[in-house]
Amino acid sequence: MNKKIFKLLAALAMFGASVLWAQEFEFSFTNELSSDVVTIDNIWDDETNFAGITENASVEFSSEKVDAYLEVEFTLGTGTGNDVSETKHLNFAWTDLDYWLHFRPFKILTLAFHDDLWMDGSYLPLWDDNAPAGGLGSSGFTLMVEPIEGLRIAATIPMDNLDDGLANFLNGDEDEGEHKPFDLGFGAEYAFGELFSVGAKVGDLIDSDEIYFGVFAAIRPLKSDDLIIRAGYGHYEGVGVLEELDYSENIALAGKNIFNASVEWAMNDFALAAEFVCDTDFDDEYEDEDSDKNKAYDMYIGVKFGYAITENFMVGLGGQCFLDFGEANAKPVFGVEPSVGCAFGNHEFSLAADLEFCDGDIFVKFPISWTYSF
């Protein structure tokens, strides 16, 4: 059975069981239909393409004993028929699956099955991703104990190594004909009410060549989400990689030591978010397996302003830059993104123009989306 199908069926089974288990619960649903319309790429591929249409649906369930979440994403886009033919055609692809299930048989004990379980301080709000070492758990199973209020201690075993034959995940990934040890890890995070949280994680303990650790913190000085400050650090014996997925698919930030920091601030009708990521190992290179180009950068800075003109209408302006200081000396990339958005009841609409500039060339796309939730 295909690994993605197996994971989806398992996630659906866990979600259904959680609903049947609970007597009193809360339920929410979100559906987003989006597209970048067209990509005009004069930087990396020198092509103009239909950007595809993405359908993303998520459901969340919470109760006294069980919490569950399931998110599935499909994309209708263009691609080549096979490795030989270069003829492009429309194709429908499953592009993302995210899930978690937390079962609390006792007040201090949680059995967690999940695709993501992150510490608050590892989150980057504009990039919409987490620092690589910021996972309190892992993609698989986590046993979590809460001995006192606010403290979570986790032991985690990933289950992402299942191949199409459902091989024993304890064998680990196969690398150049040899099995690597599986990724055993431990983490802990303490939250002091709504004021702050601090946590640490050590992963891949059995593999000395890939062991990593991270420390992260988040503070809410106003005891609310009106002001959030996050920061963290991760060290990797291998190379930690933060994939760039939002602006294009041609950038990553990689290194053995990665720092992150961000701030979100909202006051009345005004909102601001800014974030920073850098590594200190400028000569660490990262080659994408699907590309013959080095795409690793050493520093990223992003900022976005938003202003609500009326109760239902908002405008925004974002900017970002990627810098490289290593021997590859990749050309810097600068971007700007003006946007507008409106909300009516359970519906939200947004439109933006995303422009990136690199060495006199430009990359352009036009993100649009419609979101419905209840």
Side-chain angles (χ1 to χ4, degrees), residues 28-76:
S28 65
F29 170 80
T30 300
N31 189 86
E32 181 181 15
L33 189 64
S34 63
S35 175
D36 291 332
V37 185
V38 64
T39 58
I40 304 170
D41 187 352
N42 294 322
I43 298 179
W44 292 281
D45 297 323
D46 197 24
E47 291 185 351
T48 299
N49 291 310
F50 167 59
I53 300 173
T54 299
E55 162 63 19
N56 181 288
S58 63
V59 290
E60 186 170 356
F61 165 92
S62 62
S63 67
E64 181 182 359
K65 291 287 188 181
V66 179
D67 297 328
Y69 176 83
L70 176 63
E71 178 182 352
V72 181
E73 182 178 278
F74 295 90
T75 298
L76 175 66

Side-chain angles (χ1 to χ4, degrees), residues 297-310:
Y297 284 75
D298 298 307
M299 182 180 293
Y300 154 74
I301 301 171
V303 62
K304 186 171 184 178
F305 302 89
Y307 180 73
I309 298 177
T310 67

Side-chain angles (χ1 to χ4, degrees), residues 6 12 19 36 46 48 53 95 119 125 141 168 179 200 202 217 221 245 250 281 293 311 335:
F6 174 80
L12 287 170
V19 174
D36 291 332
D46 197 24
T48 299
I53 300 173
T95 51
M119 288 179 277
F141 172 72
N168 181 0
H179 282 289
V202 58
L245 300 175
N250 299 279
D281 310 282
K293 301 177 182 179
E311 183 179 354

Side-chain angles (χ1 to χ4, degrees), residues 208-221:
S208 59
D209 293 331
E210 297 292 334
I211 190 171
Y212 65 91
F213 67 86
V215 291
F216 301 90
I219 183 171
R220 290 167 169 81

Side-chain angles (χ1 to χ4, degrees), residues 99-100 112-118 134-143 154-160 182-186 201 203-204 212:
Y99 66 92
W100 45 259
F113 301 87
H114 47 81
D115 196 43
D116 293 308
L117 180 62
W118 300 101
L136 184 64
S138 65
S139 181
F141 172 72
T142 297
L143 177 66
T156 177
I157 299 176
M159 295 181 180
D160 232 11
F182 73 101
D183 179 5
L184 173 66
F186 295 94
K201 162 73 179 292
D204 241 337
Y212 65 91

Side-chain angles (χ1 to χ4, degrees), residues 8 44 54 79 85 130 140 224 262 278 299 359:
L8 177 60
W44 292 281
T54 299
S85 172
N130 294 78
S224 72
S262 68
C278 74
M299 182 180 293
D359 196 27

Side-chain angles (χ1 to χ4, degrees), residues 23-352:
Q23 294 180 343
E24 296 183 3
F25 59 87
E26 296 181 358
F27 179 87
S28 65
F29 170 80
T30 300
N31 189 86
E32 181 181 15
L33 189 64
S34 63
S35 175
D36 291 332
V37 185
V38 64
T39 58
I40 304 170
D41 187 352
N42 294 322
I43 298 179
W44 292 281
D45 297 323
D46 197 24
E47 291 185 351
T48 299
N49 291 310
F50 167 59
I53 300 173
T54 299
E55 162 63 19
N56 181 288
S58 63
V59 290
E60 186 170 356
F61 165 92
S62 62
S63 67
E64 181 182 359
K65 291 287 188 181
V66 179
D67 297 328
Y69 176 83
L70 176 63
E71 178 182 352
V72 181
E73 182 178 278
F74 295 90
T75 298
L76 175 66
T78 58
T80 56
N82 51 55
D83 295 336
V84 178
S85 172
E86 295 184 357
T87 302
K88 289 191 174 183
H89 66 282
L90 287 175
N91 62 72
F92 192 63
W94 177 355
T95 51
D96 191 25
L97 170 65
D98 186 13
Y99 66 92
W100 45 259
L101 172 68
H102 293 178
F103 170 51
R104 293 177 292 275
F106 307 101
K107 185 176 181 180
I108 67 170
L109 179 66
T110 299
L111 307 178
F113 301 87
H114 47 81
D115 196 43
D116 293 308
L117 180 62
W118 300 101
M119 288 179 277
D120 191 7
S122 69
Y123 183 60
L124 296 165
L126 297 180
W127 198 314
D128 192 23
D129 206 345
N130 294 78
L136 184 64
S138 65
S139 181
F141 172 72
T142 297
L143 177 66
M144 190 159 54
V145 179
E146 301 177 67
I148 61 175
E149 185 177 355
L151 176 62
R152 302 189 296 172
I153 302 173
T156 177
I157 299 176
M159 295 181 180
D160 232 11
N161 302 334
L162 297 171
D163 60 19
D164 290 347
L166 301 184
N168 181 0
F169 70 91
L170 291 175
N171 288 330
D173 294 319
E174 185 170 320
D175 184 18
E176 297 181 354
E178 297 182 0
H179 282 289
K180 298 168 54 182
F182 73 101
D183 179 5
L184 173 66
F186 295 94
E189 184 178 39
Y190 176 70
F192 184 76
E194 298 181 0
L195 183 59
F196 74 86
S197 66
V198 60
K201 162 73 179 292
V202 58
D204 241 337
L205 283 170
I206 302 177
D207 190 347
S208 59
D209 293 331
E210 297 292 334
I211 190 171
Y212 65 91
F213 67 86
V215 291
F216 301 90
I219 183 171
R220 290 167 169 81
L222 305 179
K223 295 186 178 181
S224 72
D225 288 344
D226 290 341
L227 179 60
I228 310 173
I229 302 169
R230 299 182 177 94
Y233 163 73
H235 171 78
Y236 315 83
E237 286 301 309
V239 176
V241 180
L242 186 60
E243 292 283 5
E244 201 291 302
L245 300 175
D246 192 22
Y247 309 115
S248 67
E249 296 181 353
N250 299 279
I251 297 172
L253 193 142
K256 291 183 178 295
N257 297 282
I258 297 180
F259 296 84
N260 68 278
S262 68
V263 59
E264 294 180 83
W265 177 49
M267 183 179 68
N268 298 327
D269 298 327
F270 176 81
L272 166 68
E275 58 193 24
F276 168 81
V277 184
C278 74
D279 76 84
T280 59
D281 310 282
F282 298 150
D283 292 330
D284 282 339
E285 304 299 343
Y286 167 65
E287 297 286 346
D288 188 292
E289 61 182 8
D290 297 323
S291 172
D292 59 358
K293 301 177 182 179
N294 170 63
K295 55 182 247 182
Y297 284 75
D298 298 307
M299 182 180 293
Y300 154 74
I301 301 171
V303 62
K304 186 171 184 178
F305 302 89
Y307 180 73
I309 298 177
T310 67
E311 183 179 354
N312 299 322
F313 188 75
M314 173 176 281
V315 294
L317 180 63
Q320 63 277 332
C321 68
F322 295 87
L323 305 174
D324 179 52
F325 307 109
E327 293 181 357
N329 196 26
K331 298 294 183 181
V333 177
F334 300 93
V336 62
E337 185 182 54
S339 61
V340 296
C342 58
F344 301 96
N346 295 336
H347 302 268
E348 296 181 9
F349 303 88
S350 68
L351 170 65

